[in-house]
Amino acid sequence: MTVLGHLRSQLAFLTHRSVLWGASALGDPGARLVRRGTADPYPLYDEIRATAPLVRSRLGFYVGAGHALSARLLRDDRFGMPGPHGVFPLRAATEPVHPIEDSFLMMDPPDHTRLRRLVAPWFTSRTVARRAEEIERIVADCLDEFEGAGEVDLVPLFANRVPVQVICDLLGVPAPEHERFRGWANRIAPAFDGVNSVGEFERLRQVMLELQEFFTELIAFRRRHPAEDILSGLVHAKVDGESLNTKDLLATSGLLLLAGFGTTVNLIGKGALGLLTHPDALGHLRRDPGLAAAVVEETLRYDPPVHLTARFAREDAEVAGFRFRRGDQIVLSLAGANRDPAVFDHPDQFDPTRPNAREHLAFSGGIHFCVGAALARLEAGIALRALFQRHPRLELAGAPERGDGRTLPMLTSLPVHCPRRAASSAA
Ligand code: HEM
């Protein structure tokens, strides 16, 4: 970056932060919703929902936290994604391929359909179920590593380790490289909420370059030595007789790594936290390990890994009495929709016996509904069941910690006391 470019970017960051800070201080709901911070966001979601189905921010976009309108907008094809450069407008064309911004997650049909179709078959419930045994083994290995350790942090030692191995195996990343991948994924995940400074932007760019270099080599290797993995499938795929271009290959592989990582780390971590802080729910699971799936579903509802998403009006449109102009942006709180009392009784209670938990919007809706939902459900179910079977007397050993992201508020630390096995099996 040139000196002038650096100064311009720094100014843009400062202006952006000052505008958000100022509007937030004046009580603007949009600014308060998207501004980074560790404060509990649920009271704000309640406030927005109680004000109106959609509230207009002074910053020019709408915000919503109710279930009915969110579900409707997500499924309405007059609303779509911003496309490349819509999210991080400071990026230049020479930047490395961005695993989120350049991926099909940010595209509308027909490009979205063309690329999603290539990966979807790997993630159907039936295909994913065949990986259950392998996931059990990965989970058991991770649990072995802190067997008898006493006090441990479950996020880095468990929640953060299982998903990276699962997604790397699926993608075809060799085992010795898994740790390197975990490092990259951990450094990119917080950037879902944008960056705070030019320095952060530069560090992110460096990680993306490393990731791109790695995938470029792996793609070349899989071209010569195809195997039974997603990357080999993508490299050899033909759409209308044509292979995928390098940018689509890189972005799709990067998307799968990132979309499947931070989200699942959060789901496993938040599920464990939910159980550790709700002894009744933990009692149910101890008596019937088959309830793990219900715990996962209620975790997805109660505190989903992804809190916010956005849609843009692709044309002038009217929905539920709101008139949108082409280009209008709507930020939706999926987490807020999941606490809507019009759909969920006592929404602020964590209750895995809730009959309609599955109506949550944690995986979004419409054509961008999470491709990896079945895998995430299976993986988190296996992880939580095995964790509490192995350690029935696991208990919190300190306050959990959270990151300051608003889109993907990461659980960063979950200290637990893990009694020795002999003691736990005597319980
Ligand atoms: C708990 C775990 C997960 C959660 C909560 C989650 C959540 C989401 C959400 C909310 C979206 C849609 C975003 C939007 O509509 O703007 C999404 C899309 C996506 N997710 Fe997940 N995800 C999870 C796990 C996974 C896994 C394990 C994978 C794959 C390895 C994955 C791959 C994807 C992909 C590829 C998309 C883009 C879909 C599209 O645009 O058509 N996700 N996910």
Side-chain angles (χ1 to χ4, degrees):
M1 201 186 283
T2 63
V3 175
L4 196 63
H6 184 89
L7 282 175
R8 205 181 293 131
S9 304
Q10 189 73 56
L11 197 64
F13 277 117
L14 289 174
T15 310
H16 175 73
R17 285 177 66 186
S18 318
V19 168
L20 268 189
W21 185 86
S24 170
L26 289 171
D28 183 84
R32 287 163 69 208
L33 191 67
V34 299
R35 196 178 153 215
R36 290 174 91 128
T38 49
D40 175 6
Y42 284 97
L44 175 61
Y45 303 155
D46 290 344
E47 191 185 314
I48 293 172
R49 196 187 318 105
T51 309
L54 282 182
V55 179
R56 178 99 184 172
S57 156
R58 287 195 193 95
L59 302 177
F61 55 90
Y62 292 90
V63 293
H67 191 283
L69 194 59
S70 300
R72 197 164 156 187
L73 284 166
L74 291 169
R75 289 179 186 119
D76 190 326
D77 61 12
R78 292 172 298 169
F79 297 84
M81 292 302 203
H85 305 291
V87 182
F88 302 108
L90 289 172
R91 282 182 65 218
T94 49
E95 295 298 329
V97 173
H98 195 289
I100 302 293
E101 192 180 344
D102 292 319
S103 73
F104 66 84
L105 173 60
M106 288 296 159
M107 295 176 190
D108 290 332
D111 288 330
H112 170 264
T113 324
R114 173 176 64 90
L115 292 166
R116 180 172 168 126
R117 232 181 236 155
L118 294 178
V119 299
W122 291 86
F123 293 99
T124 63
S125 305
R126 193 186 285 196
T127 313
V128 156
R130 287 194 219 118
R131 304 196 88 86
E133 225 172 274
E134 177 64 10
I135 297 174
E136 302 266 6
R137 187 194 56 73
I138 291 172
V139 166
D141 288 352
C142 286
L143 288 173
D144 285 348
E145 282 190 32
F146 60 88
E147 184 72 52
E151 208 166 300
V152 294
D153 189 339
L154 269 191
V155 173
L157 282 180
F158 187 61
N160 199 286
R161 300 190 79 152
V162 174
V164 84
Q165 294 190 49
V166 172
I167 191 63
C168 281
D169 280 350
L170 260 169
L171 276 171
V173 175
E177 303 290 353
H178 289 190
E179 271 307 295
R180 213 146 56 109
F181 257 72
R182 195 157 76 98
W184 285 324
N186 272 320
R187 281 152 71 197
I188 301 179
F192 268 93
D193 281 280
V195 284
N196 269 332
S197 66
V198 176
E200 237 181 74
F201 178 77
E202 278 297 307
R203 285 191 289 278
L204 178 66
R205 187 171 175 275
Q206 189 52 41
V207 183
M208 289 195 304
L209 274 174
E210 288 171 26
L211 186 65
Q212 175 163 323
E213 223 167 88
F214 180 85
F215 268 129
T216 305
E217 278 175 29
L218 192 58
I219 286 167
F221 180 75
R222 289 299 178 214
R223 241 186 249 294
R224 297 189 305 272
H225 308 283
E228 285 293 308
D229 55 56
I230 300 184
L231 205 57
S232 300
L234 289 174
V235 165
H236 295 277
K238 296 266 191 245
V239 184
D240 298 330
E242 301 218 0
S243 304
L244 288 195
N245 63 36
T246 307
K247 187 175 180 187
D248 283 342
L249 270 174
L250 289 170
T252 307
S253 338
L255 171 69
L256 292 176
L257 169 69
L258 288 181
F261 175 68
T263 50
T264 318
V265 171
N266 260 349
L267 180 56
I268 296 173
K270 289 176 177 188
L273 177 61
L275 288 166
L276 289 166
T277 49
H278 294 83
D280 284 359
L282 184 53
H284 285 309
L285 181 68
R286 277 199 194 117
R287 283 188 293 279
D288 179 2
L291 289 179
V295 170
V296 169
E297 226 49 56
E298 177 64 350
T299 307
L300 285 162
R301 184 203 67 83
Y302 179 76
D303 192 14
V306 179
H307 274 216
L308 303 178
T309 186
R311 292 295 184 270
F312 292 74
R314 301 169 68 192
E315 56 189 76
D316 292 357
E318 190 174 331
V319 181
F322 288 92
R323 284 209 183 127
F324 299 99
R325 305 285 303 272
R326 184 168 182 268
D328 275 350
Q329 185 185 356
I330 307 142
V331 176
L332 296 171
S333 168
L334 303 172
N338 287 359
R339 298 272 187 113
D340 189 336
V343 178
F344 303 105
D345 292 339
H346 308 293
D348 296 329
Q349 285 174 17
F350 179 79
D351 175 10
T353 63
R354 181 184 296 281
N356 67 338
R358 245 181 125 95
E359 287 179 46
H360 63 70
L361 296 181
F363 292 124
S364 187
I367 62 167
H368 291 279
F369 182 85
C370 175
V371 167
L375 177 64
R377 284 179 161 130
L378 177 75
E379 198 175 325
I382 292 175
L384 292 174
R385 197 182 59 233
L387 174 68
F388 288 96
Q389 268 181 339
R390 178 87 71 102
H391 299 289
R393 300 195 327 174
L394 199 70
E395 50 190 43
L396 269 182
E401 285 172 23
R402 294 166 192 275
D404 66 355
R406 283 303 204 191
T407 305
L408 190 70
M410 294 294 291
L411 185 67
T412 51
S413 171
L414 184 57
V416 293
H417 182 65
C418 218
R420 288 182 188 282
R421 213 165 176 200
S424 52
S425 48

